Amino acid sequence: MIVAHWLQSGNTLPITTRNNSVAQAELEKSDRGLILLISHVGCWQASLRHLLSFSRPINLLIQANQNTGTAALLVGSNIRIVDNSSDFGGLLECVSALERGEIVCIMGDRHASQAESSLTMDVLGNTREIPSSPWYLAARCNLPILPLFVLLKPPLASAIEYRFVEPMEVKTQNNRRPSNSDFLPAVRQYARELEDIATEFPYQVFHYSLQKGTKNG
Amino acid sequence: MDEQTKQFRLKFKQQLIEWLQLEDKTPEDIVDDQPLFGEGLGLDSLDAVEIVIALKREYNIPQTEVDKNREIFVSFEALADFVQKHL
């Protein structure tokens, strides 16, 4: 958050990207939208600035009253906050945005509230609750999920890397309603990506236990 | 309620049960004027997505129409009336 505010104030850091073309390619495939899976890794708030370069409207699904700092960062930008504590968890707004060809960013690694539908993910030796919404939207809107990690690079966090990884697809049969088991292969892939990031940047992965309300990793 | 509306509501209740995989429910369990979400039938946000997708698929109702008429989710009868008007 400090880095995001620092950048917002007009300061700059060297920025590198990895697999930026993957995101571009997904957007160029059609005029439909894109689901970006953001994680509590590095300085994720700074990711929003980079996304503006894709020239598509950006929507960020978060619990607005728990993220007032992030919301303040977005004042005056072209990024719209979709409050996941609003009606239907903001998901109908997300479906509409995706249909309009917009980018929808969802925090993928942390379950926001007990009211939110969730599934479990085995990662870093623990079983964690994560939101179902990105996987459900991907299945129902027939769109891939593209994870993005925003990393502070050594030495001394002197640069930012925007790292996209390969898109993940959620397959369902015919028009059958997707279930959590349909999401498992993609969720496992996401867990592996998170573990790879944790191996490479062990002090930049921030996981909190919702049940205990304590920081534990 | 005229016979046509009665017939449509019964069919639509069966469709909701099928779309949302409410295996433990029958059409009789869906009370026309009770809320669909939270209390009442107890649907959640993923169910809302499912309904929107199904309305487009089965009734060709664009989501923009749903967006303009969010009050249709207040009860089964509000939703059913909205869909029936689009037949």
Side-chain angles (χ1 to χ4, degrees), chain B residues 4-62:
Chain B
Q4 193 180 4
T5 300
K6 204 171 163 183
Q7 288 301 316
F8 174 73
R9 286 189 182 184
L10 175 62
K11 177 190 163 198
F12 192 55
K13 284 176 182 177
Q14 289 164 337
Q15 284 185 310
L16 275 184
I17 289 168
E18 184 190 331
W19 296 342
L20 305 179
Q21 297 180 349
L22 305 173
E23 282 111 357
D24 58 340
K25 302 284 184 197
T26 65
E28 292 73 36
D29 294 325
I30 303 176
V31 180
D32 285 11
D33 59 355
Q34 272 193 350
L36 288 170
F37 292 86
E39 52 188 281
L41 200 55
L43 303 184
D44 65 14
S45 55
L46 298 185
D47 294 313
V49 171
E50 203 60 33
I51 290 172
V52 167
I53 300 286
L55 291 182
K56 187 174 179 187
R57 184 183 67 230
E58 304 288 336
Y59 291 99
N60 204 24
I61 299 175

Side-chain angles (χ1 to χ4, degrees), chain A residues 31-33 56-57 59 80 93-102, chain B residues 64 67:
Chain A
D31 56 2
R32 301 194 63 215
R56 293 270 184 112
N59 301 268
R80 188 166 74 102
E93 281 82 357
C94 291
V95 175
S96 297
L98 292 167
E99 288 295 316
R100 292 193 300 267
E102 299 178 8
Chain B
T64 49
D67 287 342

Side-chain angles (χ1 to χ4, degrees), chain A residues 113-162:
Chain A
S113 76
Q114 295 296 351
E116 187 180 48
S117 296
S118 65
L119 54 90
T120 57
M121 172 172 75
D122 292 330
V123 64
L124 297 168
N126 286 298
T127 299
R128 299 197 178 272
E129 262 192 290
I130 60 170
S132 305
S133 53
W135 316 98
Y136 204 93
L137 289 174
R140 270 321 193 198
C141 298
N142 198 23
L143 289 168
I145 292 181
L146 191 61
L148 166 64
F149 300 103
V150 187
L151 303 157
L152 292 165
K153 298 281 283 185
L156 298 173
S158 55
I160 292 177
E161 179 179 291
Y162 293 97

Side-chain angles (χ1 to χ4, degrees), chain A residues 61-68 81-85 111-113:
Chain A
L61 181 68
I62 54 171
Q63 202 167 0
N65 62 359
Q66 299 287 318
N67 289 278
T68 50
I81 285 189
V82 180
D83 188 353
N84 70 8
S85 59
H111 186 220
S113 76

